[in-house]
Amino acid sequence: MEERHRKILKRKYKELTTDLRPDDVMDHLIQEDILDFNDLELVRAQPGTKLQVEKLLSILVSRGSSAFRVFLESLEDRYPWLYDDLKKEEECFRKQTSPGNDVYITPNDARYPLQETRSSLQQTSDPAEDDTRTVQTMPLTRCTEHMFVPPEVANKRVTEKQLNGLAGKLGLEWEDLAIHLDMKKAEVDRFKAENPFSMRSRVFSMLIAWKARQGTNATVRELVGKLEDYGIEQEKIRSIVK
């Protein structure tokens, strides 16, 4: 799935996990070869609709460039409001991406994920064929306005109190956010192992590690920019700019 489509799904996470019932859309996703029956079982095994949607989204973002389009098709009849919202976000991205910054995706079967980076070329091989596909993604302009950061706090280092408040607002997206903040998978695993019973403690440990690594650059402005770039909702970010 293209980076811009991943970001759109992250921004609409709350609406999707509130309104969507996976069984209403998975038939179409299977029919179009985005999901298989093992995926269907994994989604249905989750205890509760919200967790089922989260599992479905985590599978979709790992799939190829057709996944977002097919997911939209699955929403059109039963969830027209979600369909319209996602289409508007996509159109906004398209308008704000200049011709020189287009994302070029070589043909790829929907079943095989594209490994994408923001500013570099990376190659991935189709297990069924020994050819190489090159993917280039470019930074995309956000469709929503950037959060205003008051000048009096913008260049101050974030405090532990601010990070703890932010940690309480983040959920399962924290692991992907950690990678976005240049953490290693091994570090994410360590945060989980050291805090087995509290997600908030895991997120707080990750943010403290980011602050230590950034040193004097761990400013409010810097963190807000990173969070917005990843797609964290502004209402979750607002506490650290007060």
Side-chain angles (χ1 to χ4, degrees), residues 8-30:
I8 290 171
L9 292 181
K10 287 170 185 173
R11 290 181 194 173
K12 295 301 177 181
Y13 168 85
K14 182 177 181 180
E15 291 89 342
L16 289 168
T17 55
T18 300
D19 295 347
L20 184 62
R21 293 178 60 86
D23 277 337
D24 292 337
V25 300
M26 287 195 294
D27 284 351
H28 184 69
L29 295 171
I30 289 175

Side-chain angles (χ1 to χ4, degrees), residues 113-132:
L114 297 176
Q115 304 301 318
E116 301 169 340
T117 59
R118 290 179 181 280
S119 58
S120 64
L121 295 177
Q122 190 172 6
Q123 296 180 336
T124 181
S125 295
D126 184 331
E129 303 175 15
D130 190 21
D131 64 342
T132 302

Side-chain angles (χ1 to χ4, degrees), residues 173-239:
E173 73 268 37
W174 80 270
E175 294 186 42
D176 287 338
L177 174 61
I179 302 301
H180 178 68
L181 295 176
D182 297 322
M183 300 284 174
K184 304 293 185 184
K185 177 66 164 56
E187 293 178 287
V188 174
D189 291 339
R190 176 167 58 82
F191 299 139
K192 292 161 68 174
E194 292 175 350
N195 304 279
F197 305 113
S198 172
M199 179 179 295
R200 181 172 188 156
S201 296
R202 297 173 189 174
V203 182
F204 182 63
S205 296
M206 181 270 290
L207 293 172
I208 289 295
W210 174 84
K211 178 182 177 181
R213 184 171 300 174
Q214 293 296 308
T216 58
N217 291 325
T219 62
V220 171
R221 187 197 305 276
E222 178 70 12
L223 182 56
V224 167
K226 292 287 188 181
L227 295 171
E228 283 194 318
D229 185 53
Y230 176 76
I232 299 297
E233 298 171 6
Q234 290 189 354
E235 64 185 52
K236 295 182 178 180
I237 305 173
R238 194 163 287 115
S239 62

Side-chain angles (χ1 to χ4, degrees), residues 7-177:
K7 286 189 173 185
I8 290 171
L9 292 181
K10 287 170 185 173
R11 290 181 194 173
K12 295 301 177 181
Y13 168 85
K14 182 177 181 180
E15 291 89 342
L16 289 168
T17 55
T18 300
D19 295 347
L20 184 62
R21 293 178 60 86
D23 277 337
D24 292 337
V25 300
M26 287 195 294
D27 284 351
H28 184 69
L29 295 171
I30 289 175
Q31 178 180 317
E32 296 299 319
D33 203 29
I34 302 300
L35 302 183
D36 59 29
F37 290 107
N38 287 332
D39 297 324
L40 185 67
E41 291 179 4
L42 283 174
V43 172
R44 287 178 173 169
Q46 305 306 307
T49 302
K50 183 176 181 180
L51 291 178
Q52 289 179 358
V53 177
E54 289 175 353
K55 175 57 70 173
L56 175 61
L57 294 178
S58 72
I59 294 171
L60 286 176
V61 298
S62 72
R63 297 297 153 84
S65 56
S66 301
F68 185 80
R69 173 183 59 79
V70 176
F71 180 56
L72 276 182
E73 292 172 357
S74 72
L75 295 173
E76 189 170 6
D77 291 336
R78 292 200 178 191
Y79 300 93
W81 63 96
L82 293 177
Y83 173 85
D84 289 342
D85 281 351
L86 294 176
K87 286 288 287 184
K88 286 176 184 177
E89 285 283 340
E90 185 182 33
E91 182 63 25
C92 187
F93 264 127
R94 186 177 293 114
K95 288 180 179 178
Q96 294 194 16
T97 305
S98 66
N101 283 344
D102 284 344
V103 179
Y104 297 99
I105 304 294
T106 55
N108 188 35
D109 185 86
R111 289 292 307 158
Y112 300 108
L114 297 176
Q115 304 301 318
E116 301 169 340
T117 59
R118 290 179 181 280
S119 58
S120 64
L121 295 177
Q122 190 172 6
Q123 296 180 336
T124 181
S125 295
D126 184 331
E129 303 175 15
D130 190 21
D131 64 342
T132 302
R133 296 176 170 84
T134 302
V135 179
Q136 181 178 16
T137 62
M138 302 296 292
L140 296 173
T141 305
R142 287 182 58 82
C143 294
T144 54
E145 294 184 0
H146 289 288
M147 174 172 287
F148 173 71
V149 182
E152 61 269 20
V153 303
N155 294 319
K156 290 184 177 180
R157 291 190 78 208
V158 289
T159 65
E160 291 189 3
K161 181 178 180 180
Q162 288 172 315
L163 295 180
N164 187 49
L166 176 62
K169 298 180 183 297
L170 298 178
L172 295 174
E173 73 268 37
W174 80 270
E175 294 186 42
D176 287 338
L177 174 61

